[in-house]
Amino acid sequence: MERFGHSGDARQPVVLTIPGLNNSGPGHWQTLWEKTRGDCERVDLGSWASPNRNSWVTRLDAAIRAADGPIVLAAHSLGCLAVAWWGALQSQAYGWPVTGALLVAPPDCDRMETPETIGGFGPTPRAQLPFPSIVVASRNDPYIFFERAHSIGKNWGSSFVDAGYCGHINAESGLGEWRFGQALLEKLIDNAHEQASAMRQLRPAIPLAHQERRWAALQVNG
């Protein structure tokens, strides 16, 4: 399969939505995005009510490997921890195949009072993610202190966005299709296109075999 960015590559980024505990219901912004956008696909992590970290990461990895082309992740709550663990355990080259991630309302799995259902996802990974990312946090999220969310985002190398007072940024927050979140998602998608354009400028007319060798060299030296 050709890498994103080769001359003539017209593939568009695929947005994989990754819900948290108990999945995302009909009024959740992830569900609404899947219905109204043409680029969103939900990852079925299974065991929604009794999540297992290793199982979720394995299923996420399978979904990423099955996608054709560049991938942007849009995760909510415990789904953010699945993404962070995938990033910590996998060895993808920076920015490929996952070109970016929108990480909304990650919970704090390291607190003493953390429910057992999500405690198995702790300790929260501290490794920088191998792709550009945006962490979005609410100032009155019941599952994490705002300052802690900022600290987690810093460890992950993420841009940090203050969502104001939106609770857990879920269906109960009354966000509908959450236009603000879609604007952030579009930034990550635009970044994927800019990355592809930069790749084309690096090798505008090099035969495919030479392009593959140059890409391998860039990975080694980059």
Side-chain angles (χ1 to χ4, degrees), residues 16-207:
L16 297 182
T17 58
I18 306 158
L21 182 68
N22 295 321
N23 207 347
S24 294
H28 197 285
W29 54 267
Q30 286 181 316
T31 305
L32 297 176
W33 287 8
E34 291 160 7
K35 290 182 177 180
T36 59
R37 297 177 60 100
D39 57 358
C40 292
E41 301 175 8
R42 179 166 302 192
V43 177
D44 182 6
L45 299 176
S47 303
W48 293 110
S50 54
N52 175 273
R53 186 190 73 188
N54 291 343
S55 175
W56 274 27
V57 172
T58 298
R59 282 175 172 257
L60 175 58
D61 183 62
I64 290 172
R65 291 178 182 275
D68 179 24
I71 300 162
V72 175
L73 306 176
H76 177 255
S77 193
L78 196 61
C80 299
L81 272 294
V83 170
W85 275 111
W86 182 87
L89 295 173
Q90 299 302 315
S91 57
Q92 79 153 34
Y94 188 84
W96 181 267
V98 176
T99 64
L102 181 65
L103 306 170
V104 182
D108 189 350
C109 293
D110 301 336
R111 292 193 294 185
M112 292 285 292
E113 62 272 28
T114 298
E116 185 176 348
T117 49
I118 68 172
F121 283 72
T124 301
R126 298 175 59 89
Q128 183 167 330
L129 297 172
F131 40 76
S133 58
I134 300 172
V135 167
V136 185
S138 167
R139 289 182 173 269
N140 60 339
D141 190 329
Y143 300 106
I144 192 169
F145 292 114
F146 185 74
E147 294 77 12
R148 171 63 174 157
H150 185 274
S151 177
I152 288 174
K154 185 175 182 180
N155 288 335
W156 292 347
S158 307
S159 298
F160 184 80
V161 173
D162 180 351
Y165 295 86
C166 296
H168 195 43
I169 317 182
N170 54 10
E172 286 70 32
S173 303
L175 300 171
E177 294 181 12
W178 196 30
R179 298 294 183 184
F180 178 68
Q182 291 197 57
L184 297 175
L185 180 67
E186 291 297 338
K187 288 184 178 181
L188 292 167
I189 292 173
D190 288 345
N191 181 72
H193 286 296
E194 290 173 4
Q195 176 182 320
S197 177
M199 290 179 183
R200 285 191 289 269
Q201 291 175 17
L202 279 174
R203 49 184 189 276
I206 303 175

